[in-house]
Amino acid sequence: IFLGTGSSILSALQDLFWLSKSKVEKQLQIISVLQWVLTFLIMGVACTLILMYILCTDCWAIAALYLAWLVFDWNTPKKGGRRSQWVRNWAIWRYFRDYFPIRLVKTHNLLTTRNYIFGYHPHGIMGLGAFCNFSTEATGVSQKFPGIRPYLATLAGNFRMPILRDYLMSGGICPVNRDSIDYILSKNGSGNAIIIVVGGAAESLNCTPGKNSVTLKNRKGFVKLALRHGADLVPVYSFGENEVYKQVIFEEGSWGRWVQKKFQKHIGFAPCIFHGRGLFSSNTWGLLPYSKPITTVVGEPITIPKIDNPSQKEVDFYHSIYVDSLIKLFDKYKSKFGLPETEVLEVN
């Protein structure tokens, strides 16, 4: 009798232990995602204000030294940045990955003797899949593509923000401007892969759960860059990127869309009105994304010739090949990742 009772108590304690462990892991996942969301939304402004405040205190010398370093280091983001394998391998990114979860799917090998431009679609609200897959090692990008150095390109304005710029560079993130991309593709050897979220801010304005659309028809600058450097183009589609946030979509011609487009034109990003789940409950509204799976599929590279001054006809030709490849990639994997066979990728 006592043996049976003891076994029952032990079993109950083991159940309680494992339940507790799973709860702790879930909380760590939430914390890891929350810190990234806050980084995305406020870190740049917060660090700037803190630096200005320190300049007005007795510790002004610390801020002055950092500003002097900032001037000296100003062009580093344009020259490949300063990535840190230690930061890219932080355990926090594995919790970040498991929250959704996020997966990276490789379909073809990439030669280390070539350079690449990955076109990432869709943008979503924050490009969570792009960050996790290519700015951290959480999904094993370096193991899946050995010898390839990924550089996620983002708004150049982020690199004018103190502290934030260093944090971004540590993950291998670079400015999405011509100087930075030219340097990586021409003066940094081979085996480089620049990930460009082609749809940008314009695409983020239309992302909503259940919608698979990309802004691509008139986005040809990345193709021209690929031709100028002879960098192969690789279509990438992230299934589930649009599912993690709900957004208020303003119709064309409305005052809300007008404000968003003005911001997009003059500042480079479009303010979206969106929400996810709350910090303590998935049934309340908040800044945390919904825990929906994101699966990023890296397609087959398109061989691109090196043409110093490509004509519009040549750009259009390779752009059309790229669009066709992206649609084929979407169609091949859509049913595998939860979409019906009838789903069509909308190309705007």
Side-chain angles (χ1 to χ4, degrees):
I1 295 172
F2 291 110
L3 182 61
T5 304
S7 298
S8 299
I9 293 171
L10 183 61
S11 177
L13 286 172
Q14 285 177 335
D15 290 344
L16 184 63
F17 171 77
W18 286 113
L19 181 63
S20 175
K21 183 180 179 182
S22 67
K23 282 186 175 179
V24 169
E25 287 189 348
K26 188 62 181 176
Q27 292 306 313
L28 287 171
Q29 291 169 13
I30 288 172
I31 291 167
S32 69
V33 175
L34 180 62
Q35 68 83 27
W36 166 245
V37 170
L38 293 177
T39 296
F40 184 91
L41 295 176
I42 66 171
M43 184 178 178
V45 174
C47 288
T48 303
L49 293 175
I50 290 169
L51 195 68
M52 291 171 63
Y53 171 74
I54 294 174
L55 278 171
C56 301
T57 68
D58 292 340
C59 298
W60 63 269
I62 296 172
L65 281 171
Y66 179 79
L67 288 172
W69 160 253
L70 198 61
V71 172
F72 173 78
D73 196 54
W74 191 252
N75 289 322
T76 299
K78 298 177 184 177
K79 296 181 178 179
R82 188 169 46 245
R83 75 174 55 217
S84 164
Q85 286 302 116
W86 175 65
V87 173
R88 287 175 60 89
N89 280 287
W90 277 353
I92 196 171
W93 306 132
R94 296 193 290 276
Y95 288 111
F96 182 98
R97 171 200 67 199
D98 293 340
Y99 173 85
F100 296 94
I102 295 173
R103 289 178 55 211
L104 180 65
V105 176
K106 169 187 174 180
T107 63
H108 290 79
N109 292 325
L110 298 181
L111 298 174
T112 57
T113 53
R114 300 286 291 173
N115 283 324
Y116 302 90
I117 293 179
F118 287 18
Y120 184 92
H121 313 269
H123 183 287
I125 295 291
M126 296 185 185
L128 293 162
F131 169 77
C132 184
N133 285 307
F134 301 113
S135 294
T136 80
E137 293 297 330
T139 56
V141 63
S142 292
Q143 286 74 45
K144 288 174 180 170
F145 300 104
I148 301 296
R149 291 180 298 277
Y151 293 87
L152 177 60
T154 188
L155 289 175
N158 289 324
F159 296 89
R160 301 187 189 105
M161 303 281 193
I163 311 300
L164 175 63
R165 67 188 291 275
D166 301 286
Y167 188 41
L168 294 178
M169 282 194 291
S170 68
I173 300 177
C174 68
V176 63
N177 58 31
R178 183 167 169 175
D179 287 346
S180 177
I181 294 171
D182 282 349
Y183 183 91
I184 292 169
L185 294 180
S186 64
K187 298 178 182 178
N188 202 41
S190 60
N192 302 292
I194 298 179
I195 298 89
I196 299 176
V197 186
V198 178
E203 191 172 84
S204 69
L205 296 178
N206 295 315
C207 70
T208 188
K211 187 174 184 179
N212 288 285
S213 67
V214 296
T215 301
L216 182 57
K217 277 184 180 176
N218 297 315
R219 299 294 174 106
K220 300 180 181 180
F222 73 106
V223 178
K224 190 172 185 178
L225 278 169
L227 285 164
R228 287 181 62 245
H229 293 285
D232 293 347
L233 288 170
V234 182
V236 179
Y237 197 86
S238 236
F239 294 91
E241 186 72 63
N242 286 345
E243 307 300 315
V244 296
Y245 279 111
K246 295 178 181 177
Q247 180 181 191
V248 176
I249 305 289
F250 293 103
E251 292 190 12
E252 290 295 334
S254 66
W255 67 269
R257 184 52 65 105
W258 179 83
V259 169
Q260 288 176 322
K261 286 191 172 180
K262 286 294 181 183
F263 263 84
Q264 179 191 333
K265 181 179 178 180
H266 297 293
I267 301 178
F269 75 93
C272 301
I273 299 177
F274 65 92
H275 74 84
R277 52 156 289 184
L279 183 59
F280 302 107
S281 171
S282 59
N283 297 321
T284 58
W285 288 11
L287 288 176
L288 276 178
Y290 294 103
S291 52
K292 305 284 187 179
I294 298 174
T295 306
T296 303
V297 184
V298 180
E300 182 177 4
I302 303 163
T303 304
I304 302 294
K306 189 177 188 304
I307 304 172
D308 290 335
N309 293 297
S311 66
Q312 190 59 51
K313 186 177 180 180
E314 289 167 327
V315 171
D316 291 343
F317 174 73
Y318 285 101
H319 181 267
S320 66
I321 293 176
Y322 178 85
V323 173
D324 289 342
S325 295
L326 179 65
I327 293 171
K328 287 176 182 175
L329 180 71
F330 177 84
D331 288 340
K332 183 176 180 179
Y333 289 94
K334 61 186 177 184
S335 60
K336 188 174 181 180
F337 300 120
L339 297 177
E341 279 291 345
T342 54
E343 185 72 20
V344 176
L345 180 61
E346 183 183 324
V347 181
N348 299 313

